[in-house]
Amino acid sequence: MFEVFRKFGSIQFDPIAVAGRNHDLVLHARVAGYEPAWCDVLYERREIFEATNKALSFVPTSEFPWFRHVMGRKGPRFHAAALAENAAVAERVLERIRAEGPLSSLDFERETGPTKDWFGTPENAVRAVLEAYTVTGVIGLARRDGNLRYYDLLERLLPAALLGQEVPEREQLLHKLLSRYRAHGLLGPSGAGGTFARIAEPNARNELRKELVELGALVPVEVEGVRGKRLVLAEELALLRAPPEPTRSVAFIAPFDSLLWDTALLSSLFAFDYVWEGFFPPAKRRWGYYVLPIVFGDRFVGRIEPRIDRDRARVEVLNVWWEDGFAPRRADGLVDAMRDALRAYLRFASADRLDWASHLATEKRLFLTRP
């Protein structure tokens, strides 16, 4: 499992768990028999930590020195101001953590101050200083209780040798930029959407990219049928020259999987139209709220919308959409592979029953599945 972290550099964390948390789904798609508790153990052992790498992500702890320079949600200037504007609150919060150990925002009385949230209304000063202290490297996340974060002094969370390792800021930025290319595998120079968010300004980022190409860490390539050059890691050129045969297996892909970052590439290379519709009003969704693309071998063949009902130990399949022209019954090996994938998903969800929506009678018969 840790090999996936090594290859990707980081895996995006998202707390939405209706079909499984994003990082768990990313690992489930790639690690046979994966159980969500495995990642939780890595987190508890401090083998991975949370850092902003495009979005909030789990990163191998060994890479901490390359993630000291962090932007936070709104940039270092905002968080420095939050500490200055709420100095008295910041002092009290830090003193209690120092004396009592890991604490969450709920362990403090709500306090108001001049710091504003995204919508321009006063933000809870305690939450603001907790985040600011995290961005400035004073505290870190000790654990999570659901989505509730507990913070402790960074010196009590990570080894002194690691904390004492200093990496120049420019090297940190180069490392982060390279990690985004590593996570996706075939990004273009300008990335896609927010792929390079929080890595310097565009002009500085262009210089960093140029340096990585000059160093030979990134290699420009052309892909037949895809406009413009793409950049790949030098050590992965061999995969392009001699790609392995795709396995005839099915995987359900997490909505924030790095494979899905570049939607234009998905369209041109795989003829797959992908949009995450979680932020869309229900009436404007073409598919659904939390939908997982289905990969079979080297093709995107459809989408599935599962829901985990933990109280009743079951998985509900709300809908399935197959790509135009794809007939699962006629696709050699798909039925067995889909059954295997559904059984694996039941184990992943700690469920012993699979319920299909009434309009999916055909899929229910085709993929009759027991744990």
Side-chain angles (χ1 to χ4, degrees):
M1 180 180 72
F2 207 81
E3 179 68 8
V4 180
F5 281 98
R6 190 194 69 77
K7 283 184 174 293
F8 283 22
S10 65
I11 298 176
Q12 184 171 336
F13 172 86
D14 189 86
I16 299 173
V18 292
R21 298 171 300 182
N22 186 78
H23 64 281
D24 287 323
L25 288 165
V26 170
L27 291 165
H28 168 66
R30 294 167 173 85
V31 179
Y34 173 77
E35 298 176 13
W38 296 359
C39 196
D40 293 338
V41 169
L42 291 181
Y43 189 62
E44 291 166 5
R45 291 177 179 171
R46 306 279 180 257
E47 294 183 45
I48 56 176
F49 73 103
E50 293 185 35
T52 300
N53 196 26
K54 180 181 179 290
L56 183 63
S57 301
F58 284 136
V59 179
T61 300
S62 59
E63 296 200 0
F64 173 79
W66 287 268
F67 285 86
R68 284 184 183 274
H69 178 77
V70 295
M71 301 287 284
R73 292 180 304 159
K74 299 183 179 180
R77 186 176 301 175
F78 171 87
H79 296 293
L83 291 174
E85 294 168 352
N86 304 282
V89 175
E91 184 177 352
R92 289 196 297 274
V93 166
L94 192 59
E95 185 55 39
R96 279 196 59 191
I97 291 175
R98 185 177 287 117
E100 301 176 34
L103 297 174
S104 76
S105 59
L106 295 184
D107 291 310
F108 300 87
E109 293 291 331
R110 180 184 177 90
E111 301 204 38
T112 57
T115 308
K116 302 293 195 302
D117 64 15
W118 289 105
F119 306 102
T121 56
E123 188 169 15
N124 180 354
V126 171
R127 292 176 64 92
V129 301
L130 284 170
E131 183 173 359
Y133 273 139
T134 305
V135 169
T136 54
V138 176
I139 63 176
L141 268 66
R143 69 177 192 275
R144 284 178 177 269
D145 184 359
N147 292 331
L148 185 62
R149 305 176 186 185
Y150 284 81
Y151 301 85
D152 200 357
L153 298 178
L154 202 59
E155 65 205 52
R156 294 200 290 235
L157 298 176
L158 297 178
L162 199 63
L163 291 173
Q165 185 178 348
E166 296 288 344
V167 175
E169 184 177 318
R170 184 173 181 81
E171 288 188 28
Q172 293 183 45
L173 294 173
L174 285 167
H175 183 84
K176 288 180 182 177
L177 185 60
L178 191 61
S179 78
R180 310 285 172 89
Y181 280 101
R182 176 181 292 111
H184 182 272
L186 206 61
L187 283 173
S190 58
T195 305
F196 299 129
R198 302 181 178 92
I199 302 181
E201 299 301 323
N203 289 337
R205 206 159 53 228
N206 290 338
E207 290 300 314
L208 294 169
R209 185 182 302 105
K210 180 180 177 182
E211 184 173 341
L212 288 172
V213 172
E214 290 173 350
L215 290 169
L218 287 177
V219 179
V221 298
E222 293 184 357
V223 180
E224 185 178 353
V226 176
R227 294 179 57 186
K229 289 186 180 297
R230 295 277 156 171
L231 294 166
V232 301
L233 270 67
E235 66 245 38
E236 294 181 352
L237 279 176
L239 286 174
L240 290 180
R241 296 190 178 108
E245 284 294 319
T247 59
R248 302 189 70 77
S249 60
V250 162
F252 303 144
I253 307 301
F256 307 117
D257 194 302
S258 55
L259 178 63
L260 306 178
W261 284 356
D262 191 339
T263 55
L265 180 68
L266 290 177
S267 179
S268 59
L269 196 58
F270 297 103
F272 186 72
D273 180 19
Y274 178 75
V275 178
W276 187 64
E277 299 179 328
F279 292 130
F280 290 14
K284 292 190 175 181
R285 290 175 186 151
R286 182 177 173 185
W287 294 291
Y289 167 57
Y290 207 86
V291 173
L292 311 180
I294 302 171
V295 169
F296 174 51
D298 58 357
R299 297 177 61 188
F300 284 85
V301 299
R303 304 155 211 267
I304 187 169
E305 187 176 16
R307 289 289 180 276
I308 300 173
D309 185 339
R310 293 171 178 82
D311 292 336
R312 292 188 283 180
R314 69 174 186 171
V315 168
E316 301 172 273
V317 179
L318 304 186
N319 217 333
V320 176
W321 301 262
W322 301 106
E323 288 294 278
D324 290 343
F326 182 79
R329 193 187 302 271
R330 294 199 295 270
D332 186 28
L334 182 280
V335 172
D336 286 340
M338 189 71 175
R339 288 173 179 167
D340 288 343
L342 289 168
R343 279 192 289 266
Y345 187 77
L346 280 172
R347 292 191 295 271
F348 166 79
S350 297
D352 54 21
R353 178 177 167 184
L354 184 66
D355 289 345
W356 297 83
S358 58
H359 68 283
L360 298 175
T362 299
E363 281 77 11
K364 180 178 179 179
R365 287 193 300 271
L366 198 57
F367 306 124
L368 182 63
T369 303
R370 292 183 175 85

